[in-house]
Amino acid sequence: MTATADAKVWLDYDQAELDNQYEQRSLVPDGDAYVAENAAASARARAELDCRLDVAYGPGADEVMDLFPARNPGSPMLVFLHGGAWTRGDKVNESHLAPALVAAGAAVVTVNFSLAPGATLDAITDQCRRAVAWVHGHAADLNADAGRLVVAGHSSGAHLTAMMLVTDWTGHGLPADAVKGCVMTSGMYDLTPIRLSHRNGYLNLDDAAVARLSPARHLRPGLPPVAVFYGAGELAEFRRHGQDFAQALADGGHAVTTADLPGIHHFTMSRELGKPDSPVHRAALGLMGLAV
């Protein structure tokens, strides 16, 4: 039987409505202008800060990262995973987050990885795990302490961050508590609706992949503290993801900080980690043991 055009495919959304919920520019049509502003601010940050660019964490051409060392030995470090619907984005546009974090006492690492559809989501997740493992093993190169590692990400990068949260690091040669905390903004944490949306045209998820790659399905005792944020100006589905994931963490007895940020949409949310007056920035400092 053929579904009617307005048949509900997820919650109360028909196909067109669901697809719209996973298209950020449906709500912020000038989103590219924000990306360009971030790129310009990032170029300035690289010119002003001590940094090492395009450091390899693996053999692939995409497996590189930018390092912004801490100013003092034994400092905490934050690994940032960029967004872009898993199909676009680049670490070069994320350096703008580093100045405020370095000034507060942290080292910062921004990571590149392969993009869909050229890479599967399993492969992208594996790259992020290897990047985190590399940073943990090279903390001294960042003037940092391997025991003070936090991971953060925005949008699809928040999904990847959540996958780092639920990773069994002992299987990657690291201590079970290698990651001391995670900060996630505007993420997606159960991939069921993503599989049903137009995004599956490039992700090619099946039921097994959805189960394997949905961090909300892999919560377990002993996870590190988490901070989950979403904005009042974001698409309803992205707000729901944040609300549901934060609630699932709380229901599981995990330490979770969460907030709905007024006046923030998806593209301005990408800047909150690098703003000293933002709850996102303060949450990251708290997880790293830095003064707020």
Side-chain angles (χ1 to χ4, degrees), residues 131-165:
V132 169
W134 189 98
V135 171
H136 187 276
H138 291 79
D141 295 345
L142 288 152
N143 223 13
D145 177 355
R148 302 178 70 186
L149 190 157
V150 166
V151 183
H154 173 64
S155 194
S156 55
H159 162 262
L160 295 169
T161 298
M163 290 300 295
M164 302 304 101
L165 171 75

Side-chain angles (χ1 to χ4, degrees), residues 57-231:
Y57 65 86
D62 300 321
E63 296 176 355
V64 292
M65 56 180 67
D66 292 345
L67 312 181
F68 299 86
R71 293 171 178 169
N72 298 307
S75 297
M77 51 189 175
L78 182 141
V79 176
F80 184 79
L81 306 176
H82 70 75
W86 302 283
T87 66
R88 57 187 178 271
D90 193 289
K91 64 179 175 54
V92 75
N93 296 331
E94 309 300 343
S95 308
H96 65 96
L97 299 172
L101 292 166
V102 170
V108 177
V109 178
T110 57
V111 179
N112 261 12
F113 39 82
S114 300
L115 302 174
T120 66
L121 193 48
D122 279 295
I124 294 168
T125 301
D126 176 67
Q127 287 177 314
C128 293
R129 287 172 174 145
R130 288 190 286 112
V132 169
W134 189 98
V135 171
H136 187 276
H138 291 79
D141 295 345
L142 288 152
N143 223 13
D145 177 355
R148 302 178 70 186
L149 190 157
V150 166
V151 183
H154 173 64
S155 194
S156 55
H159 162 262
L160 295 169
T161 298
M163 290 300 295
M164 302 304 101
L165 171 75
V166 301
T167 292
D168 176 3
W169 291 107
T170 62
H172 298 267
L174 272 61
D177 64 346
V179 172
K180 293 301 192 291
C182 291
V183 182
M184 305 164 207
T185 56
S186 310
M188 297 152 285
Y189 309 107
D190 189 305
L191 299 185
T192 301
I194 286 78
R195 185 190 178 196
L196 295 172
S197 79
H198 69 94
R199 291 192 175 194
N200 209 41
Y202 57 78
L203 289 174
N204 297 307
L205 302 171
D206 57 18
D207 284 342
V210 168
R212 189 169 59 247
L213 295 164
S214 292
R217 304 192 190 187
H218 298 282
L219 301 182
R220 64 179 187 278
L223 295 178
V226 182
V228 179
F229 297 94
Y230 45 91

